[in-house]
Amino acid sequence: MPRQVDYEDRRRRIAEAVCTLIARSGMEAVSLRDVAAQANVSMGAVQRCFRTKEDMLLFVLEHISQRVSERANQRIATASTPQAAATLLSHTLAELALLDEGSQTQARVWLAFITHASANEKLAAVLHDTYAKLHELIAWLVRYGQNTGEIPQHLDPTREAHTLLAVADGLTVHVLAGHHSPEVALSILRRHVDHLLQ
Amino acid sequence: MPRQVDYEDRRRRIAEAVCTLIARSGMEAVSLRDVAAQANVSMGAVQRCFRTKEDMLLFVLEHISQRVSERANQRIATASTPQAAATLLSHTLAELALLDEGSQTQARVWLAFITHASANEKLAAVLHDTYAKLHELIAWLVRYGQNTGEIPQHLDPTREAHTLLAVADGLTVHVLAGHHSPEVALSILRRHVDHLLQ
DNA sequence: ATGGATATGATGCAAGTGCATCGGAAAACA
DNA sequence: TGTTTTCCGATGCACTTGCATCATATCCAT
């Protein structure tokens, strides 16, 4: 038996390297050589992990999609003290919008993939899936708010969730475009959520 | 005196070619050779028009920024029959969100530039400028709606404009990501504007 | 016509790309 | 320890890239 390697782990480490490179200088600047160097492995190792570059990028998208979803879900699941639905909603959306300083990298990567998805069916499929899940999550939170009486019953949770997600993603774009600072974006987001309540 | 060429016109034609290519297969797939072929000129002509590829891309961004702004402004200026402020607002935002089928190309290009701007200061400056102008435009429309009595006085036009622009851009992203059809996105946008009125 | 300034486009070039290949290193068994 | 099986990483290869070069074609004032 030959030496065994934890491929999943290595794949994740390579994915992180790819994200770093994409955030630093855009998706077209990602070459297999640079990825290998950034991940501190040889090019051969990268090639062994992923059959082609396209496969690699697909894995990276799935990786970050999963991370975003998981973080949002955990934020809700681990709410130790029973929080107001509005707070939960606001915090979850802020997380999804990748507003805090440390998430700027992920925001860049996310947008890069959206841009690319227009020209790549597989990437588009992953994105479609992820957005469906995120929408479901937000709609659930809105319904929860209606149950606690914080959000008016007459609102359609599905529709409101669509708007909320749009605001969140729009603000992500605005921060990336330099139109807003993360702080301002956050306050705009909060105000929109508060507006739901009255 | 040698033969004279209308450089501005040629630059615009080349810019259109670049947009077509970006929309078709992403920004990294844009090579000078492809641009020349698409614009039906020789590579030498492209090189004469733009000192470097970066210069070319910068011009393209300025070009489409201008086009978007102009279209939105004209939409307002040429409103022959005095329209309801709400209608004007809704239509203008729909235009900015590049929702209709024919604008998908521009949406892709726009997003590609936003993605790139993170790694390029000059592009970022142009984007910043454009967004500032667009925000001003929307805020003006909100104030106009307040003057006609359609929009409640107690709302802050600046803040509302920020949210409106975020919804518009968020929907652009969602359509591009395949999360919404343009029609659904439009209805979400309309509903959000209607929500302002009551 | 003619001279001269300018635009053109084919070609060259070094650098970088993704991917294929393969000799040998490394580890788990016997 | 020796064998076997997997993995690694250096190298090669065909191709594309952005940009520089330069002989040629093109046009205008004389």
Side-chain angles (χ1 to χ4, degrees):
Chain A
M1 286 286 173
R3 112 178 95 165
Q4 285 302 337
V5 171
D6 186 345
Y7 277 106
E8 275 312 306
D9 178 67
R10 200 208 292 274
R11 270 200 258 265
R12 278 193 291 270
R13 282 184 48 218
I14 290 177
E16 296 296 329
V18 173
C19 287
T20 302
L21 291 177
I22 291 180
R24 182 180 303 159
S25 40
M27 202 155 189
E28 68 263 36
V30 174
S31 76
L32 295 188
R33 283 162 181 82
D34 292 345
V35 170
Q38 177 72 31
N40 272 316
V41 298
S42 77
M43 235 184 85
V46 176
Q47 289 184 272
R48 174 156 294 271
C49 275
F50 303 104
R51 216 174 44 79
T52 68
K53 186 183 181 180
E54 197 188 340
D55 280 1
M56 182 179 77
L57 292 176
L58 186 59
F59 178 86
V60 172
L61 177 57
E62 284 165 347
H63 178 64
I64 64 174
S65 285
Q66 197 182 338
R67 280 215 328 200
V68 168
S69 293
E70 270 177 8
R71 261 201 314 175
N73 275 314
Q74 278 191 8
R75 158 84 68 171
I76 295 170
T78 67
S80 54
T81 61
Q83 300 180 26
T87 309
L88 217 47
L89 190 55
S90 176
H91 285 182
T92 304
L93 282 167
E95 189 116 61
L96 292 182
L98 303 170
L99 290 182
D100 65 288
E101 200 74 37
S103 302
Q104 287 303 306
T105 295
Q106 283 181 58
R108 268 193 276 253
V109 175
W110 185 250
L111 208 62
F113 272 108
I114 290 177
T115 303
H116 256 66
S118 311
N120 184 319
E121 217 168 274
K122 287 181 185 172
L123 294 182
V126 175
L127 277 181
H128 183 81
D129 238 55
T130 304
Y131 268 112
K133 281 179 194 156
L134 293 183
H135 173 259
E136 211 172 328
L137 178 68
I138 301 300
W140 186 91
L141 282 173
V142 173
R143 262 182 245 112
Y144 175 63
Q146 288 179 319
N147 289 342
T148 66
E150 291 170 75
I151 297 177
Q153 289 289 341
H154 69 84
L155 294 177
D156 176 3
T158 299
R159 280 197 166 281
E160 291 304 327
H162 278 142
T163 308
L164 285 165
L165 208 53
V167 173
D169 278 330
L171 290 174
T172 305
V173 169
H174 286 179
V175 171
L176 238 60
H179 182 221
H180 290 317
S181 69
E183 294 77 24
V184 171
L186 189 59
S187 84
I188 294 173
L189 184 60
R190 287 229 182 89
R191 228 189 62 86
H192 182 69
V193 172
D194 289 345
H195 193 64
L196 271 189
L197 306 181
Q198 48 106 36
Chain B
M1 288 286 172
R3 112 177 92 166
Q4 285 302 338
V5 171
D6 185 345
Y7 277 106
E8 275 312 304
D9 178 67
R10 200 208 291 276
R11 269 201 257 267
R12 277 193 292 271
R13 282 184 48 217
I14 291 178
E16 296 296 328
V18 173
C19 287
T20 303
L21 291 177
I22 290 179
R24 182 181 302 159
S25 40
M27 203 155 188
E28 68 265 38
V30 174
S31 76
L32 295 187
R33 284 164 181 80
D34 292 345
V35 170
Q38 177 72 30
N40 272 316
V41 297
S42 79
M43 234 184 88
V46 176
Q47 288 183 273
R48 173 156 296 272
C49 276
F50 302 104
R51 215 175 45 80
T52 68
K53 187 183 181 182
E54 198 189 339
D55 280 2
M56 180 178 79
L57 292 177
L58 185 59
F59 178 87
V60 172
L61 176 57
E62 285 166 345
H63 178 65
I64 64 174
S65 284
Q66 195 181 339
R67 279 217 325 202
V68 168
S69 293
E70 269 177 8
R71 261 201 314 175
N73 276 314
Q74 277 191 7
R75 159 82 70 170
I76 294 169
T78 67
S80 54
T81 61
Q83 300 180 23
T87 308
L88 217 46
L89 191 55
S90 174
H91 284 182
T92 305
L93 283 167
E95 189 116 57
L96 292 182
L98 303 170
L99 291 180
D100 65 288
E101 200 72 38
S103 302
Q104 286 303 306
T105 295
Q106 284 182 56
R108 267 193 276 253
V109 175
W110 185 249
L111 208 62
F113 272 108
I114 289 176
T115 303
H116 258 66
S118 311
N120 184 319
E121 216 169 275
K122 287 182 186 172
L123 294 182
V126 175
L127 276 181
H128 183 80
D129 238 56
T130 305
Y131 268 113
K133 281 180 194 156
L134 293 183
H135 173 259
E136 211 172 328
L137 178 67
I138 302 299
W140 187 89
L141 282 173
V142 172
R143 262 182 245 110
Y144 175 63
Q146 288 179 319
N147 289 341
T148 66
E150 291 170 76
I151 297 177
Q153 290 288 341
H154 69 85
L155 294 177
D156 176 6
T158 298
R159 279 197 163 280
E160 291 305 326
H162 279 143
T163 308
L164 284 165
L165 208 52
V167 172
D169 278 330
L171 290 175
T172 305
V173 169
H174 287 179
V175 169
L176 238 56
H179 182 223
H180 290 316
S181 67
E183 293 78 24
V184 171
L186 189 59
S187 84
I188 293 172
L189 184 61
R190 287 228 182 90
R191 227 189 61 87
H192 182 68
V193 172
D194 288 346
H195 194 63
L196 271 190
L197 308 180
Q198 47 104 37

